[in-house]
Amino acid sequence: ETGVTQTPRHLVMGMTNKKSLKCEQHLGHNAMYWYKQSAKKPLELMFVYSLEERVENNSVPSRFSPECPNSSHLFLHLHTLQPEDSALYLCASSQTSGSVDTQYFGPGTRLTVL
Amino acid sequence: GQNIDQPTEMTATEGAIVQINCTYQTSGFNGLFWYQQHAGEAPTFLSYNVLDGLEEKGRFSSFLSRSKGYSYLLLKELQMKDSASYLCAVMDSNYQLIWGAGTKLIIKP
């Protein structure tokens, strides 16, 4: 399936680097999400965008900066990360964000911070 | 606080039946989702329950009891490709998904 794509699939970066994760959805949805998935832990919601407006920011450190230029694209800009930020970063989309809608996920970016 | 509990790991035999349980305590309830996630891949939607009872979809069935804060996913005629993690998630009163840590299912020949 290619409904939600993410690039890169793997990323290794140093603590002083700046990098960006990209997500694109081809489902015509209006809401997009960033999640963090760490081993043996529940998915953590980081950011929610609805119609390109940020509607949720779950107390995420400022070293993570989201950007949603249009309803099909979502970015996560990373700078001065810490080793504990190493995780799988998942993007998802749904028709809307304020009602019962199924979220569809991309394959994730496996991030390693050295 | 909000909490979703599910077993960390389960093992079953090919061709058998397995039941993965999920209990929850959340602020409001707008339905319960089950997702399947193969290693290194995207979580994929399996089922959604909002009313009590059993929903059957091929080899997979999902059950919900709202009064008990309990759900299970039932997998029949297990195949090797069913080896994956199964994620339980509840949509709360703010329409946010609250996730369990997932159950890793290992299928043995």
Side-chain angles (χ1 to χ4, degrees), chain A residues 47-77:
Chain A
F47 300 103
V48 181
Y49 276 83
S50 178
L51 295 171
E52 302 143 48
E53 295 288 326
R54 189 191 304 181
V55 297
E56 192 72 40
N57 173 1
N58 284 0
S59 302
V60 178
S62 59
R63 57 186 183 269
F64 295 91
S65 175
E67 179 189 359
C68 188
N70 55 62
S71 59
S72 298
H73 293 86
L74 186 64
F75 294 89
L76 188 62
H77 304 299

Side-chain angles (χ1 to χ4, degrees), chain A residues 1-5 24-27:
Chain A
E1 293 186 10
T2 58
V4 182
T5 58
E24 184 173 358
Q25 60 97 358
H26 308 274
L27 300 170

